[in-house]
Every structure is written in C-alpha cells, then in structure tokens.
Amino acid sequence: MPAGSIEIRSLRKRFGSPEGSFVDALAGVDLDIMGGSFFVLLGPSGCGKTTLLRCIAGLENPTDGTIHLDGERLDTVAPYARKVTTVFQSYALFPHMTVAQNISFGLEMSGHRRSTAKGRVEEMLNLVQMEGYGSRKPSQLSGGQQQRVALARALAVSPSVLLLDEPLAALDLKLRRGMQVELKRLQRTTGVTFVFVTHDQAEALSMGDRIAVFDRGAIAQVGSPREIYDAPTDRFVADFIGETSFVDVDVRVDGVWVGDMLIDSRVLAEGAAVGGRQTFSLRPERVRVVATANASTLRARVDEVEYRGGDVLLLLDTAGGQKILCRDDPSAGRGPGDELFVEIDEGSMRSVAT
Ligand code: ATP
C-alpha cells in the first residue's frame, strides 16, 4: 500500500448524555483509505463524519475498534505524535501572530530550528500561492487567504495525512469553487493523503478520488464518484447524491409494468430480476421527452416545471401513478398540464434496496 494509507476496522464511538441515553456516532466502521488519494467522507449532518475524523486525529478516543496508518497502530498513539494534521472550517490561526509566525509555530513545535523553519515557511507560502504575505496578520487577509495559510501551516510539517473538516463551508460559492480546484492541485503536488469531510454532494463528486457515504454512523457505500452516482447500492445513497426518482414497477417475463403500461425490460440496469413489485432509481438525465411512443416510452402529464438556467426539470405524473423527474430543454416551453411521451434510456433503471 502507498505511504499514508489508513485502515479502519470495526470502529465504534458511543457518546453518553447526562440523562443516561447514548448515541452511536460510529456504529462499527470498516474503511480503507489509499495513501496519496483524495478521499471524501460524505453524509448529512450528524451522521458521524466529524467523529471519524476526530478519531483519526486523536481528538476523540474510539469506544472500540482499531485504526492503522501504514501498517502501524495509530489509535493508541498520542495526538501530537501522529503524522496527521487537521484543517478546520474555522481556520484557527493565531490572531496575534503574522502569517509566517503562524506557519513557523507548528514547525518549531515539531522540532525544526527557527533558522531552517524560515526556508520551509517560504516554500509553503509559495505552495499555496501566498508569496509576499508572510508579515501580515490574519485579520489583514480575506477568508480564502486565511484558509490558504491554514493549509500551509498544516502541510508544513510534512504529514502523512491531512484531515480537512468542511474547510470551505465558510466561503462564498465563487471562492469555494476556486479553493476546490486549489485543494485538488495541492493534494496532487504534495502526494499527501487528504481526508475531506463535507455534506455537499456536488463538492464530493467533483473532488474525491473515492467517496464514503455515511448514514447514521455506518458506511452506506464506498466508491469512485462515478460508481456512487451511476450505481448507488441503496435508496439512501441514490436519494442523497444528485437528483433521482424512485419508481415502483412490476418486473414480469413480458417486460416492465408501470401501472397498466408495459415497457421493454431493456430499460432495466444489469442485475434486475423478474419477480413482482420492486423499487428502481432513475436519474432525470436518463429520461427524455419524445414526439412519438415506442417500446421504451411512458405516457405522462407535466405536474411542475422548475427553471434552472441551462435546463428545466419537469416533474411528471406518469400513467400508472408514478412520479418521475425529467430534464428538458428550456426552449421547449412546456408547462403544467401538458401531455407527452417520455423515453427511458436503456439500462438506466437501477434496483435499490430500501
Ligand atoms: P455535521 O456535518 O453536522 O458536523 P457529522 O456527520 O460530522 O455532522 P458528528 O459531529 O460526527 O456528525 O456527530 C455524530 C453524532 O454524535 C451526532 O448525533 C452528535 O450529536 C453526536 N455527538 C458528537 N459529538 C458528541 C459529544 N461530544 N457528545 C455527545 N454526542 C456527540
């Protein structure tokens, strides 16, 4: 395994409350994070992402289970002795120190002499494209610049792993997009393992080499962005990532019955089996309005139209009582009540466990 690889086994973290109740923030997590990769922990608020990050950093003691870094036990090592650094949403820079002092501080704490630290500070300011800012105080920098300094400080000590806890959440959308690109570049040029926490699925898809989707303290699915988007293994993942419709249909030998309409079973993704009523997920971009009916079309009526600039999203009531989403061309000018046919792409309906 490449340097900076993490192996997490049966990790549990239970928090108690003064009233005697408890919550399993991590309910037995198994996870392999490949060294040198950009790994994203994704999930809704309260699902345990931050708790996992804090266990890796040593800020939280697991109730049970193990964490190894490059084959060596990590969870029993004191936090300061771990080759792991963290960047938080609140940049946590020392306000009374200059940018250079902020970066230098971590280096000196980890045993660098001040004279050698100076060169490393310059190198780090270069890396995050902040040359010339060394003598400023954090209050004289924008939010994005402060975040760059926090990254420089965290990377200066050459960690094996950099943990990032929603580091972009405080930035406006434009700046956030810029920093996403910047973070990808930093990860590639340093080769350090980045473990990045977010609840933003679009951010996860655009940044992660691999993504672990969390649901209530457990991992629902691990995969590449494409696998997670195209082949969600359960309803929670399909619903949380992107837009999707859930359709209840009967799969029989003669094809797929949507209410009283029959369509060709080629619309089903691989692995779907004949056998009664099942739920499938269907992405809106795999459904298209067509002029005439064929073996893969459904009859539908437009219920709602959501204009989104580049495209519109139609919410359709199909004959047979199913609601599906369909992406459409804004210039078509369709509106509520319009009757139409929609064609479903081959292999686009994926069976989801509920
Ligand atoms: P968010 O995106 O909102 O930060 P998260 O996915 O990071 O959410 P965690 O912060 O890991 O979630 O919390 C997981 C669960 O553990 C939540 O139910 C939370 O209330 C609980 N929890 C976290 N820290 C503590 C604590 N110190 N004491 C008690 N319960 C806690």
Side-chain angles (χ1 to χ4, degrees):
M1 290 277 263
S5 294
I6 301 175
E7 215 179 84
I8 296 168
R9 291 293 173 269
S10 309
L11 201 72
R12 293 165 54 82
K13 178 65 189 180
R14 173 170 285 190
F15 289 110
S17 75
E19 306 84 50
S21 64
F22 60 83
V23 50
D24 285 321
L26 298 172
V29 167
D30 292 305
L31 190 61
D32 289 304
I33 298 174
M34 171 92 92
S37 68
F38 198 118
F39 198 95
V40 175
L41 307 177
L42 172 70
S45 183
C47 68
K49 315 177 289 290
T50 297
T51 303
L52 179 58
L53 214 64
R54 291 173 60 83
C55 286
I56 299 172
L59 303 171
E60 212 70 80
N61 282 321
T63 309
D64 211 352
T66 58
I67 307 174
H68 285 80
L69 172 60
D70 293 329
E72 296 194 5
R73 192 79 186 262
L74 183 70
D75 52 286
T76 48
V77 174
Y80 62 83
R82 300 185 185 196
K83 287 188 68 84
V84 172
T85 51
T86 311
V87 173
F88 299 97
Q89 180 185 332
S90 59
Y91 321 117
L93 299 175
F94 298 114
H96 59 286
M97 290 186 188
T98 64
V99 164
Q101 286 164 343
N102 262 285
I103 301 172
S104 187
F105 181 77
L107 283 166
E108 288 168 37
M109 291 300 282
S110 64
H112 278 70
R113 284 207 310 278
R114 188 163 290 181
S115 52
T116 58
K118 199 159 181 292
R120 183 75 177 150
V121 169
E122 284 308 314
E123 201 183 320
M124 287 297 115
L125 285 174
N126 252 317
L127 182 70
V128 298
Q129 297 172 344
M130 289 282 290
E131 311 84 332
Y133 285 86
S135 53
R136 293 221 194 165
K137 292 276 177 62
S139 60
Q140 297 170 310
L141 300 176
S142 72
Q145 290 171 331
Q146 289 184 40
Q147 188 58 282
R148 282 167 195 264
V149 176
L151 284 163
R153 185 177 59 178
L155 288 167
V157 295
S158 306
S160 299
V161 178
L162 180 65
L163 306 173
L164 302 117
D165 194 0
E166 307 234 12
L168 310 182
L171 304 179
D172 68 53
L173 189 63
K174 190 112 194 235
L175 200 52
R176 195 175 171 140
R177 299 289 303 164
M179 278 306 287
Q180 287 173 354
V181 175
E182 186 69 3
L183 277 176
K184 284 294 281 182
R185 183 188 67 80
L186 275 178
Q187 195 277 319
R188 268 198 301 269
T189 47
T190 59
V192 171
T193 311
F194 278 28
V195 184
F196 182 94
V197 163
T198 182
H199 60 263
D200 179 338
Q201 47 95 20
E203 186 163 274
L205 289 176
S206 70
M207 299 186 76
D209 293 324
R210 284 178 83 70
I211 301 172
V213 185
F214 274 70
D215 180 18
R216 288 164 296 174
I219 291 177
Q221 188 170 356
V222 184
S224 68
R226 170 144 284 206
E227 283 163 352
I228 299 272
Y229 185 83
D230 283 345
T233 49
D234 68 12
R235 187 173 178 132
F236 172 81
V237 177
D239 203 20
F240 190 68
I241 311 287
E243 285 156 329
T244 200
S245 320
F246 293 103
V247 236
D248 291 325
V249 299
D250 283 308
V251 181
R252 299 195 197 149
V253 280
D254 54 351
V256 178
W257 286 88
V258 186
D260 59 357
M261 280 188 300
L262 178 65
I263 54 173
D264 197 297
S265 50
R266 276 182 311 190
V267 298
L268 300 179
E270 249 172 68
V274 169
R277 204 152 179 82
Q278 300 173 42
T279 303
F280 289 82
S281 77
L282 177 62
R283 299 288 187 194
E285 64 274 18
R286 309 296 302 272
V287 181
R288 199 166 336 91
V289 179
V290 289
T292 51
N294 65 45
S296 307
T297 50
L298 289 172
R299 212 165 58 247
R301 177 186 287 122
V302 179
D303 185 20
E304 280 175 41
V305 179
E306 188 191 335
Y307 179 65
R308 306 192 304 180
D311 62 8
V312 295
L313 195 65
L314 305 178
L315 175 62
L316 304 172
D317 279 323
T318 69
Q322 298 296 310
K323 286 194 178 295
I324 60 173
L325 295 166
C326 162
R327 232 181 243 177
D328 196 22
D329 180 355
S331 65
R334 279 176 259 273
D338 287 359
E339 306 262 354
L340 42 80
F341 291 107
V342 283
E343 184 172 42
I344 297 174
D345 281 353
E346 219 172 277
S348 59
M349 287 174 62
R350 189 162 288 278
S351 180
V352 283
T354 47

